[in-house]
Each structure stands twice: as C-alpha cells, then as structure tokens.
Amino acid sequence: LERVRAKNIRGKPSPATNMGSGASAGVKAGVEGKVPKVASPNWDATLSAKVTKDEAKAFCGDSFDEAAFDAAAKDGTIDKIDFLLNACLIKVASDDDGLLPQPAEPKKRLCVVQIYVKGAEFGGTDKSCNGHRYDSIPFANGCINAGMACPLIHYVPEQHDDFFKVVANMDALIVRCNPGQIKAAGGDQGKFDDAVRKLKTEKKVPAWPSPDVMEFMGAKDALTKIKDMNIGMPDTGTYFEAEDFAAGFKKSMAFMRRVVKQNRGSSGEGIWIISLKSGEYCSTYGEKSCEDSDELILMEANDNHVEEHTVGEFIEWCLNGRTDKSGTWNSKGTGKYLEGGKAAGGQITDQGFCGRILEGELRFNMVNDVCLGVIHKVPAPGGMSAVGGTGSVYKFYDNNTLAPDGVLKDGIDGFIKTGVKETFYVNKEKSADGNRHRVAPEDGPKKVEEGVCVEETITVDLATLLDKFVKEDCPKLMATLALPDEPIPLWWTSDFINGSQG
C-alpha cells in the first residue's frame, strides 16, 4: 500500500461524489433510524451511463429530489453509479474522513463492501467509530491513487436485492466482511455468497476475495487439507459428525495435548488449548482412548481464560452447548460447533498443540505470493494466545518494502532478512496449565536473581522460512484447498508457529 500511496493520482472529484456522501453534523454510524433516499426504486426505468433528470424522475418516482439532483449534476447529468449509490443505499458510516477525492474520469469502478453489526460497539471489533473497517480507507485510497474510483459502502441485509442491483454496475468488488458478521447483522451468509457468485457468472463482476476462497481458505478444515505440506501438521483432522468427533477426540487427547477449533467465529472464540490434568499421555497414537471421566485443563484463545472439565463435558459442550451434561462454562461462546451440519459450516478441527506458541506466532502479510512483512505476536505473560486484545506483544519485521532504503521506519522493529532474535525471562517451573510461561520484562531481572526465572533467547530464520513457503507451498496451495481455478488472494495472511522441538 505504501508503494501505491507514493503515486498520488488525484483527479478532481466528480460533483456527484458529494451527493449525499457526507454525513450531517451529529449523524452517528449505524443502520438504526436510517432509510434509503429512494425506498422503492423503479428498476424497469432506463438509466444511461450519464443519468438525465427525466431518467432520474422515472427511477425515483415520488422520492425524486430535483434540487439535490441539480446541485449534484454536471452538464445536466449524473454518473449512473454515483446516482445509484446515493439514491438506493443506506449511508451507514458517519463520515469518510481520510478518503481521497474520487477520480473525475476513473479507469475502473470498484467499491469496498463492509458490514455493520447492529448492537456491536462501532459495528464490530474491526471498525473505527465512523463505522468503517480500519483498513477500508487505505484500500480505497490505493485504488484511487491508481486512477480507479472506489467508494466505501455497507451491505445492509434488509436491502439485499437493491444492493446487488446497484453493485452489478461495478467493475469489481473488494469484500471486507468478517466471518460471522453478516449473520450477526441479521443476514444470511449463504444468500450473500450466492449473490456474489451470480454477479461473477452473469454480470462478469469479480469479487476479491471470492466466496469460494473465503469458504475454503477461511474454514478450519483448510488445516486438514494442508496437513501434508511444509506448512501443515500431519496429525490434523476435521470432524463433521458427532460420533466421529467423540471417538476421534478421545483417541487423540490420550496421545498428546491438543488444539480443538470450531469453524465459525473469529478472534480465538471456540479455539481451545487442551491438556490432560494428569499429564499422563500414551506413547503411541491409538494405544488407548480417554474415558468420559478423565479431567481436562482448557484455555480458550480469545481471552486466555482457563476452565477445567471432564472429557465427557467437553464433548457435550462442543456438540450441544450448555446442558445439564456439559457442566458450568465461563466461555463467552455457546458451543454447539457442529450445529447446522456441514452445509452450514458445522465442523470441528483437532490438531496437536505446538508447545512453542509461547515463543509467539509469525503472521506473514502477503500480497498474492509477495510478502510485505512479518508480525511476531508473543502471548502475554501467563497466556498462550497471541490474539489482539489479550495483552500480547507485536513486533514488525519489514521485507524491504516499507524501508527499501534500509532505514527502519517508526513502528518497524527489524527486517525479515535478519530474522527474529529475542530474549525472554521464563519461569523455571511449569504452571498449572503445563507450560513454562514468560514473565513481564520489567520483572525478569529480579526473578532471575531470586532463582525463579532464567533468560532464554529464541531465533527464527524468517528468510529461509519465507523462501520455502513461497517457492514450495504457494504454487500448489490453491489446488490443495480444492480451489484450482482461483488465484492466490490479493491480500491475505498466513500464521506460523515454530514446530521444531526445543
């Protein structure tokens, strides 16, 4: 994005761009109390590429505002897409602060599609107070700097039909709707995805990422599909049926510590790091299975809270949620991870626990098969999840894209070519969850003197890891995920945990 921003091709904004695009003073982000300017558009009316006043009247009917049309028109007409956006879609955001002026004569017409969750603060944890995603303005500005128009819009489920009639006039869509948010906003993810697919097949309007890429790359069973690649773990499995999960989990849990993940949700909800309370595991997989009465220690990745339950209670939670058989749960979630079946996204993925998560995970920020940089995310002292908001520490390693001159910019901690080398103060003894956790850096020296902690240094050869990932795994990644006809996404991330012993 920095490279794109360096080339600033700002055209003069077309007059229609401002037609209803700014929020009035005091208007809040959200959907409540808002209606489209034209509630019942006449889709049988003819609209030219440059909409005339008579065409606008026929389309808007009694909702036509002649004064607003005259104010926005240039030479008596308004660009068709600008007209439709302003007339038909609810303006969810409170403002577009930071968005560059749209080009007067754009090379292509794109838009960033977002979703606002009613009842959630700011419309979701991925939003700023104006209702836009944190990254929406940079995305749109990158397109504008490249000479393309790119307004920011929101999908409102109650406007489904009108929404897709409007965006059918675009050249492409950039979809930025987090998994689960369309449903949380009262919509139907399947209905939305089918409409996006129809745009591609019937109108030749592509969407990035496509619904299939979101489904097959975002679903947790992707971990099972890549299990035999360099980036995978061979002992990963995905369950769609209750009986298969119960039997499989009892067998894998008896062998080693596990990570069990629901398919739905985000930010670590329904991802459980699980240990046998006894600490007694069998030496070979399949040698024995756990009993329902065996006790577990579980940590949920969304907030690092710890619970203790029996194997039977955990299986009941995963299948049926809070019941008399599942015991009392402190999780913010609801369980029922197989609810709705495979077609509705009901699945549970089970894989071995990577003990080196305590050293942090590595998030590779990718544009197609090019890495812009790596974020080293280290869990908070006492925690095992590096999800944002849990006190985890982030460090940024540049791939000579943000600092091609070799001079680190503010907020960048190092370069991929030099790798990761960090020292932590680590407890000598394991905690109740079976791990030797790091302590806060400011407490480390004193605890070393007391004999409680030791200093330990970790190193990661990022350059070699990246080279192997890009050259060996990326070329066959989409086919492995059953997406042979789809390109690698325009912008995506891949998270790594050190898998080697040590």
Side-chain angles (χ1 to χ4, degrees):
L1 290 178
E2 287 295 323
R3 283 181 173 175
V4 175
R5 290 177 63 186
K7 187 178 181 183
N8 187 8
I9 310 175
R10 297 194 193 187
K12 292 183 179 179
S14 60
T17 301
N18 296 324
M19 182 179 170
S21 65
S24 302
V27 173
K28 294 182 178 180
V31 179
E32 291 85 350
K34 297 181 180 180
V35 295
K37 293 182 179 179
V38 180
S40 301
N42 177 15
W43 290 104
D44 292 327
T46 299
L47 294 178
S48 304
K50 299 293 184 180
V51 179
T52 66
K53 184 180 292 188
D54 287 340
E55 290 173 338
K57 286 180 180 179
F59 181 82
C60 297
D62 293 340
S63 300
F64 180 66
D65 186 334
E66 186 168 2
F69 183 93
D70 291 339
K74 181 180 181 181
D75 298 327
T77 64
I78 297 177
D79 177 88
K80 179 180 178 180
I81 294 179
D82 289 333
F83 171 78
L84 290 173
L85 292 174
N86 182 65
C88 301
L89 301 188
I90 292 174
K91 179 67 178 180
V92 174
S94 59
D95 62 65
D96 293 336
D97 287 352
L99 183 66
L100 297 175
Q102 304 289 344
E105 298 295 334
K107 298 175 183 177
K108 295 290 182 180
R109 302 297 300 261
L110 284 70
C111 64
V112 174
V113 179
Q114 308 163 96
I115 184 74
Y116 188 97
V117 180
K118 291 171 282 189
E121 186 178 15
F122 301 149
T125 55
D126 58 334
K127 307 295 191 307
S128 297
C129 59
N130 62 3
H132 289 310
R133 278 182 59 102
Y134 296 116
D135 54 14
S136 291
I137 298 291
F139 263 101
N141 284 347
C143 294
I144 292 169
N145 279 330
M148 297 179 285
C150 193
L152 308 175
I153 63 176
H154 286 77
Y155 170 70
V156 178
E158 293 80 2
Q159 284 197 294
H160 178 88
D161 292 343
D162 285 346
F163 178 88
F164 278 98
K165 288 176 181 177
V166 170
V167 298
N169 294 277
M170 296 288 180
D171 292 306
L173 312 181
I174 299 174
V175 180
R176 302 295 292 156
C177 301
N178 263 8
Q181 288 192 340
I182 287 179
K183 180 179 180 180
D188 182 326
Q189 184 70 56
K191 183 178 180 180
F192 178 87
D193 289 347
D194 287 343
V196 174
R197 292 187 182 100
K198 190 174 180 180
L199 276 182
K200 180 180 179 181
T201 57
E202 296 186 3
K203 301 294 184 181
K204 308 303 180 186
V205 178
W208 300 296
S210 73
D212 290 335
V213 168
M214 285 292 290
E215 179 179 348
F216 288 94
M217 288 193 79
K220 296 299 188 292
D221 67 335
L223 297 170
T224 301
K225 292 175 181 176
I226 66 168
K227 67 185 182 67
D228 296 319
M229 299 175 71
N230 293 319
I231 56 176
M233 293 182 63
D235 68 335
T236 304
T238 298
Y239 301 97
F240 300 96
E241 302 295 336
E243 296 79 9
D244 293 340
F245 168 65
F249 174 71
K250 287 180 178 180
K251 187 182 293 185
S252 63
M253 191 70 246
F255 174 55
M256 66 180 296
R257 300 171 71 190
R258 311 301 296 172
V259 179
V260 172
K261 308 181 181 189
Q262 70 154 327
N263 186 43
R264 308 179 182 96
S266 59
S267 300
E269 182 184 316
I271 297 179
W272 296 96
I273 301 165
I274 313 173
S275 307
L276 285 176
K277 189 172 183 180
S278 67
E280 299 174 357
Y281 300 93
C282 60
S283 57
T284 58
Y285 177 75
E287 180 182 329
K288 70 173 185 177
S289 294
C290 289
E291 301 293 334
D292 282 339
S293 58
D294 286 339
E295 296 180 310
L296 304 174
I297 299 174
L298 307 102
M299 176 181 285
E300 192 170 14
N302 63 328
D303 57 9
N304 284 323
H305 85 278
V306 176
E307 304 196 28
E308 293 190 15
H309 294 277
T310 65
V311 169
E313 288 174 339
F314 178 67
I315 292 174
E316 176 70 9
W317 164 261
C318 291
L319 300 180
N320 300 309
R322 289 180 171 85
T323 69
D324 291 341
K325 291 175 60 179
S326 67
T328 301
W329 287 77
N330 298 318
S331 172
K332 297 175 183 176
T334 58
K336 298 189 264 189
Y337 302 144
L338 295 182
E339 188 175 46
K342 184 176 181 179
Q347 59 179 259
I348 300 172
T349 295
D350 172 19
Q351 63 181 170
F353 172 66
C354 293
R356 295 183 68 183
I357 179 60
L358 299 180
E359 298 175 6
E361 60 185 78
L362 302 164
R363 169 160 291 183
F364 282 58
N365 288 322
M366 306 291 295
V367 173
N368 198 263
D369 62 355
V370 176
C371 180
L372 296 184
V374 173
I375 305 174
H376 185 210
K377 308 191 296 181
V378 182
M384 280 192 283
S385 169
V387 170
T390 61
S392 50
V393 177
Y394 286 23
K395 288 196 173 183
F396 299 84
Y397 294 84
D398 177 37
N399 197 22
N400 290 89
T401 51
L402 301 181
D405 56 359
V407 179
L408 292 175
K409 304 294 189 288
D410 289 343
I412 306 297
D413 300 286
F415 289 104
I416 285 179
K417 62 184 179 184
T418 54
V420 174
K421 184 176 182 180
E422 295 188 40
T423 299
F424 300 106
Y425 296 99
V426 184
N427 285 310
K428 289 183 177 180
E429 301 296 327
K430 293 181 179 180
S431 63
D433 59 25
N435 295 286
R436 293 176 55 237
H437 289 279
R438 74 181 182 94
V439 300
E442 60 272 19
D443 298 331
K446 182 178 179 181
K447 290 185 177 292
V448 169
E449 289 181 10
E450 295 171 349
V452 176
C453 289
V454 293
E455 282 189 77
E456 294 187 2
T457 299
I458 66 162
T459 61
V460 182
D461 186 345
L462 292 176
T464 299
L465 176 61
L466 175 61
D467 188 63
K468 199 169 188 178
F469 173 50
V470 170
K471 291 182 178 179
E472 296 183 18
D473 284 342
C474 281
K476 56 187 178 183
L477 179 61
M478 302 309 285
T480 302
L481 294 173
L483 294 165
D485 298 324
E486 291 278 359
I488 291 179
L490 180 65
W491 186 31
W492 59 294
T493 63
S494 184
D495 292 350
F496 293 81
I497 298 171
N498 291 322
S500 59
Q501 300 299 312

